């Protein structure tokens, strides 16, 4: 394994002072996979004060010192150096009761979550890999360190981390580890919601349909609204898949943008409470889009998702049944109301939705490239689609004698006229029309 020069220098400085030191965790895993690590974490037998002394000629970041971490400022970024430590019992499924600095790296590696994350490397000492992380990587296996039941009981966030690592590196979860993930999934109720959101938000852009199907019940443990979708028969001639399989294909079918992926994941949760059957037994879901939007809003609030992401996802879900059609005028109106980003995401969602029914109707899918080419035409025209593009503004209307609410109302009327190509976007024409109003 080849380490960057500045990392080797940090390790050498610690070793020269008599302390064992290694690169550890994600960087070792990524290097073993032939990937370039995003950052390098170091660990050492030196106590935090001793690390401070070794790097006394550097600027240091000491915010994490209590937990054993000293940040050394180098021209290549802050290198975090953490003292080997051992953890006490976890009584709250989240945090250890105590941590203790130890001289032995094996104890430090033993507290880590998965064998592939529990490896260290030093140019002087070689690999420390007491749990067979390299062997597991070679065989494509994700395995908990030690007793999987105990490890997920200690910290149930590891369940979501495990899914993320399995998906990111295409590893299959070893049997006992998977069983323990499933049996301890309920403990994820105790986690801080924002940590759950953060993990899911990192996961969603990575997944394909098979990943979602494999981990569906675990996602259902943190988003209970998803659980009834699994295996749900829609009793519809339009849908060959059960509802969750459909959703899994829609998620995988949209671009890897977080808000869009969330929208895809939650777009049909409103189908459960709105489900009805007619006399022939066929299923209907009247009003499932607004209902789903309302439910998604509450899911994303509960998970403390950022407001902008939540609102974007909710808008997409609310509008997912309002089919875009290949007609310039209506597309211009949608662009005026929703903006480019939302219209493009909505189109992607509708295309994936339509394409994921398992009943393959090519004639329905043909409209999507048509809509895209009309959108390109509109973009090329650089047309006026929003108030900010209009050739008149509120000030112009005030000079004509408009006051109060009438200003905004009139601007909107003018915009509609321009979008519908009934008026040119020219100041004189717009003001003349406004006067007549
Ligand atoms: P990424 O590339 O996503 O950052 P990473 O492996 O570096 O992957 P981090 O969350 O940065 O992951 O954590 C660094 C290391 O700390 C992990 O490799 C693992 O050894 C350990 N670790 C992190 N979180 C946990 C946890 N919840 N339980 C046990 N060990 C953990
Ligand atoms: Mg990391």
């Amino acid at each position: 394994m080849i380490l960057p020069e500045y990392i080797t220098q940090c390790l050498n400085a610690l070793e020269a002072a008599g302390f064992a030191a290694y690169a550890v965790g994600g960087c070792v895993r990524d290097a073993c996979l032939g990937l370039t690590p995003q950052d390098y974490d170091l660990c050492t037998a030196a106590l935090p004060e001793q690390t401070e002394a070794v790097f006394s000629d550097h600027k240091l970041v000491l915010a994490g010192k209590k937990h054993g971490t000293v940040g050394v400022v180098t021209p290549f970024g802050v290198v975090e150096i953490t003292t080997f430590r051992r953890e006490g019992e976890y009584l709250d499924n989240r945090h250890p009761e105590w941590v203790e600095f130890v001289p032995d790296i094996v104890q430090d590696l033993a507290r880590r979550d998965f064998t592939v994350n529990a490896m260290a490397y030093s140019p002087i000492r070689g690999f420390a890999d007491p749990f067979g992380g390299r062997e597991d990587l070679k065989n494509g296996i994700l395995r908990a360190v030690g007793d999987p039941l105990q490890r997920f009981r200690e910290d149930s966030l590891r369940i979501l981390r495990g899914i993320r690592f399995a998906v990111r590196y295409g590893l299959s979860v070893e049997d006992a580890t998977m069983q323990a993930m499933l049996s301890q999934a309920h403990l994820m109720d105790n986690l801080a919601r924002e940590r759950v959101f953060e993990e899911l938000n990192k996961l969603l852009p990575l997944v394909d349909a098979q990943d979602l199907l494999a981990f569906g019940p675990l996602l259902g443990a943190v988003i209970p609204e998803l659980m009834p979708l699994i295996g749900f028969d829609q009793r519809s001639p339009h849908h060959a898949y059960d509802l969750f399989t459909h959703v899994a294909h829609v998620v995988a079918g949209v671009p890897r943008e977080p808000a869009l992926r969330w929208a895809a994941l939650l777009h049909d949760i409103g189908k459960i409470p709105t489900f009805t059957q007619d006399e022939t037994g066929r299923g209907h879901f009247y009003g499932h889009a607004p209902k789903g939007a309302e439910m998604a809003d509450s899911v994303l609030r509960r998970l403390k998702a950022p407001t902008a992401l939540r609102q974007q996802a909710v808008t997409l879900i609310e509008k997912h049944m309002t089919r875009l059609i290949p007609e310039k005028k209506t597309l211009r109106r949608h662009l005026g109301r929703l903006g480019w980003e939302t219209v493009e995401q909505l189109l992607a969602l509708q295309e994936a939705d339509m394409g994921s029914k398992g009943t393959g109707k090519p004639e329905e899918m043909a409209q999507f490239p048509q809509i895209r080419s009309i959108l390109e035409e509109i973009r090329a025209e650089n047309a006026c689609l929003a108030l900010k593009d209009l050739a008149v503004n509120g000030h112009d209307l005030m000079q004509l004698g408009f006051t109060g609410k009438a200003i905004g109302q009139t601007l909107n009327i003018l915009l509609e006229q321009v979008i519908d190509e009934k008026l040119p976007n020219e100041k004189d024409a717009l003001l003349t029309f406004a006067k007549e109003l």
Side-chain angles (χ1 to χ4, degrees), residues 25-26 29-30 38 41 111-113 117 155 158 161 164-165 168:
R29 175 198 66 218
D30 288 353
Q38 295 160 4
D41 295 320
R111 72 176 169 84
R112 295 171 185 269
D113 46 9
N117 288 345
D155 176 5
R158 291 171 184 159
R161 286 173 55 85
R164 177 160 61 86
F165 291 121
R168 180 172 355 150

Side-chain angles (χ1 to χ4, degrees), residues 48 61-71 80-83 85 101:
V61 182
L62 298 173
K65 188 176 160 190
K66 204 174 64 191
H67 305 109
T69 303
V70 173
E80 294 200 330
I81 304 177
T82 305
T83 304
R85 57 180 209 222
F101 299 135

Side-chain angles (χ1 to χ4, degrees), residues 305-374:
T307 308
L309 181 143
R310 170 171 54 81
Q311 289 173 341
Q312 182 69 2
V314 167
T315 300
L316 292 168
I317 295 169
E318 191 186 316
K319 308 240 180 284
H320 84 272
M321 294 302 287
T322 312
R323 296 292 182 205
L324 297 170
I325 54 168
E327 189 187 273
K328 201 165 188 178
K329 201 191 229 172
T330 53
L331 287 173
R332 286 162 58 101
R333 279 178 172 265
H334 284 302
L335 287 167
R337 285 202 194 110
L338 300 173
W340 279 97
E341 188 189 14
T342 304
V343 169
E344 283 174 339
Q345 290 190 336
L346 190 58
L347 187 62
L349 180 60
Q350 294 187 350
E351 185 171 25
D353 193 11
M354 196 84 93
S356 302
K357 294 178 178 177
T359 50
K361 291 229 180 73
E363 65 280 6
E364 282 180 348
M365 300 307 288
Q367 58 178 316
F368 292 100
Q370 290 169 12
I371 294 173
R372 288 216 166 75
S373 75
I374 298 174

Side-chain angles (χ1 to χ4, degrees), residues 213-246:
L213 293 173
F215 296 114
L218 294 173
L219 298 179
V222 282
I223 306 177
E225 288 84 348
L226 287 175
M227 211 56 124
L229 276 62
I230 300 175
F232 185 90
D233 176 358
Q234 306 193 62
R235 289 135 178 121
S236 160
H238 298 308
H239 289 275
Y241 294 143
D242 77 84
L243 192 48
F244 191 71
T245 305
H246 164 70

Side-chain angles (χ1 to χ4, degrees), residues 6-307:
Y6 72 105
I7 294 295
T8 311
Q9 278 171 9
C10 290
L11 294 175
N12 288 345
L14 286 160
E15 293 279 356
F19 304 111
Y22 295 83
V24 68
C27 66
V28 181
R29 175 198 66 218
D30 288 353
C32 287
L33 286 165
L35 305 170
T36 307
Q38 295 160 4
D39 55 12
Y40 292 82
D41 295 320
L42 307 189
C43 61
T44 182
L47 294 170
E49 302 76 51
Q50 295 171 320
T51 303
E52 263 187 273
V54 170
F55 296 97
S56 56
D57 55 342
H58 285 68
K59 201 167 173 299
L60 300 175
V61 182
L62 298 173
K65 188 176 160 190
K66 204 174 64 191
H67 305 109
T69 303
V70 173
V72 175
V73 180
T74 77
F76 304 94
V78 179
V79 179
E80 294 200 330
I81 304 177
T82 305
T83 304
F84 299 150
R85 57 180 209 222
R86 194 163 77 86
E87 293 178 345
E89 235 185 310
Y90 284 64
L91 299 179
D92 61 354
N93 320 114
R94 289 200 256 183
H95 305 106
E97 291 298 297
W98 47 263
V99 301
E100 177 185 60
F101 299 135
V102 292
D104 173 20
I105 185 158
V106 174
Q107 287 185 310
D108 182 89
L109 295 174
R111 72 176 169 84
R112 295 171 185 269
D113 46 9
F114 299 99
T115 63
V116 299
N117 288 345
M119 300 186 276
Y121 175 79
S122 140
I124 299 169
R125 297 166 188 270
F127 279 97
D129 179 16
F131 306 103
R134 281 174 297 173
E135 182 70 12
D136 281 344
L137 267 190
K138 201 173 76 198
N139 297 324
I141 290 174
L142 186 85
R143 183 196 313 268
V145 170
D147 172 11
L149 272 176
Q150 189 195 332
R151 305 318 305 284
F152 297 127
R153 253 182 234 141
E154 286 171 353
D155 176 5
S156 57
L157 191 73
R158 291 171 184 159
I159 298 172
L160 296 178
R161 286 173 55 85
I163 301 174
R164 177 160 61 86
F165 291 121
V167 167
R168 180 172 355 150
Y169 301 110
L171 306 174
S172 55
V173 182
E174 175 264 341
D175 271 351
T177 301
M178 187 68 194
Q179 288 314 315
M181 282 178 162
L182 288 165
S183 74
Q184 304 308 304
H186 61 280
L187 295 177
M188 290 191 284
D189 268 354
N190 300 333
L191 291 171
R193 303 280 176 231
E194 50 271 51
R195 295 179 77 201
V196 172
F197 172 81
E198 213 178 294
E199 272 303 326
L200 294 176
N201 203 46
K202 286 187 202 165
L203 174 67
L204 280 179
L206 305 175
V207 293
D208 65 24
Q210 291 315 311
D211 296 326
L212 283 172
L213 293 173
F215 296 114
L218 294 173
L219 298 179
V222 282
I223 306 177
E225 288 84 348
L226 287 175
M227 211 56 124
L229 276 62
I230 300 175
F232 185 90
D233 176 358
Q234 306 193 62
R235 289 135 178 121
S236 160
H238 298 308
H239 289 275
Y241 294 143
D242 77 84
L243 192 48
F244 191 71
T245 305
H246 164 70
V247 164
H249 282 91
V250 178
V251 173
V254 298
R256 300 173 189 273
E257 298 156 20
L260 183 49
R261 289 252 158 151
W262 276 102
L265 182 70
L266 302 176
H267 81 281
D268 269 353
I269 54 179
K271 279 193 168 180
I272 300 299
T274 57
F275 176 63
T276 55
Q277 274 175 292
D278 62 24
E279 9 2 292
T280 68
R282 184 174 157 184
H284 298 281
F285 305 94
Y286 300 116
H288 80 271
K291 183 69 193 169
E294 184 192 310
M295 292 168 72
D297 189 69
S298 91
V299 169
L300 291 168
R301 279 180 195 275
R302 193 169 68 222
L303 293 176
K304 301 198 163 83
T307 308

